[in-house]
Amino acid sequence: MDLLADHWLEALGWSGSALLVFSLMQQRVLRFRVLNLSAGLALLIFNALIQVWPMVGLNAATSAINIWFLVRLLGQRHDDHAFEVIEVGAADTYLQHVLRTHKSDIVRFQPDFDCRPDPAQDHVFLILRGDETVGVVVVRRVGVVAHVRLDYVTRRYRDFTPGEFVWRRSDVLCALGFRQVRTAPQTLGAYYDHLGFRREGDVHVLDLDPAECAERSAS
């Protein structure tokens, strides 16, 4: 029985250590915190069972830090003040840099997007968190309809939905005269279902209410 308990204890220690290493390989900020917290809690239990108290203190401290960051991150997930939407020109130099830097990742998710927005037809929005660019949205104007050409989030923030600040939390589209948003079939996902979009065949559609936009703008 003691031998079996020793095996389980050793497995817990190795599992916690492996999970800790794996967490350090994550680029997504939210996923990193969740995995690092899980590893810290496993190692806290392991070190408490073998009575290595300095390591218990260390794991307790790192777990508390991860919990603090997770509460903060989750609280900012849909916070209007956490992300900012800025419209830029389709030929903007910084935009071109962002698209070049993330081109391979963009093409992996939206192979139909050529990373060359059309200055005559496209509107481009950068989503920022502080001074960090976390997303790019490109829509093409067809009358009063905004057709989504790109809705991209950088890897670090892929567990968040910063694009929602263009669709639901910002009045920028209404101010430009758009009254409807339509996604491309290649951008389908549950993400849109939670933002008021409705399905029409193989696309998602969002109707923009000018009154609601004006109310958000005034608030």
Side-chain angles (χ1 to χ4, degrees):
M1 188 68 177
D2 289 340
L3 183 60
L4 181 61
D6 287 342
H7 283 316
W8 278 108
L9 187 59
E10 185 176 359
L12 176 63
W14 279 112
S15 298
S17 298
L19 188 56
L20 178 63
V21 173
F22 182 65
S23 73
L24 297 175
M25 299 169 62
Q26 303 305 307
Q27 293 186 357
R28 299 189 188 186
V29 61
L30 188 60
R31 182 176 295 182
F32 161 72
R33 290 294 175 186
V34 170
L35 292 175
N36 200 261
L37 173 61
S38 301
L41 293 174
L43 291 173
L44 187 154
I45 296 171
F46 170 75
N47 285 297
L49 291 173
I50 64 174
Q51 299 183 352
V52 182
W53 304 118
M55 293 305 297
V56 170
L58 174 63
N59 295 137
T62 58
S63 297
I65 291 170
N66 278 316
I67 290 172
W68 185 84
F69 273 106
L70 278 170
V71 170
R72 185 180 178 191
L73 287 169
L74 292 173
Q76 293 178 343
R77 202 170 189 176
H78 306 289
D79 186 353
D80 291 342
H81 302 291
F83 298 94
E84 184 175 359
V85 177
I86 296 178
E87 184 178 12
V88 298
D92 182 84
T93 302
Y94 177 70
L95 169 66
Q96 298 305 318
H97 167 74
V98 172
L99 293 178
R100 282 197 306 272
T101 301
H102 299 281
K103 183 175 181 179
S104 60
D105 198 35
I106 290 172
V107 170
R108 186 162 66 94
F109 286 96
Q110 291 187 234
D112 61 319
F113 185 70
D114 58 8
C115 290
R116 292 196 299 269
D118 186 344
Q121 302 180 74
D122 293 339
H123 292 269
V124 185
F125 306 94
L126 296 179
I127 299 96
L128 308 178
R129 185 176 188 270
D131 61 355
E132 181 180 5
T133 300
V134 302
V136 182
V137 170
V138 179
V139 300
R140 173 154 293 178
R141 179 184 290 277
V142 179
V144 296
V145 179
H147 289 265
V148 180
R149 294 194 62 209
L150 177 67
D151 184 0
Y152 175 73
V153 180
T154 60
R155 289 177 181 173
R156 268 174 55 83
Y157 288 90
R158 199 152 291 159
D159 295 317
F160 296 79
T161 55
E164 75 172 272
F165 295 96
V166 175
W167 315 129
R168 301 295 292 168
R169 302 296 182 95
S170 174
D171 62 343
V172 291
L173 293 175
C174 283
L176 291 169
F178 290 113
R179 296 296 176 260
Q180 190 179 85
V181 179
R182 297 181 71 89
T183 68
Q186 295 84 354
T187 59
L188 285 178
Y191 154 68
Y192 294 105
D193 293 328
H194 300 301
L195 298 177
F197 283 76
R198 68 178 186 277
R199 285 182 180 267
E200 285 190 6
D202 59 351
V203 302
H204 282 87
V205 178
L206 174 68
D207 293 317
L208 300 175
D209 186 339
E212 289 184 6
C213 291
E215 183 178 343
R216 285 199 302 269
S217 180
S219 62

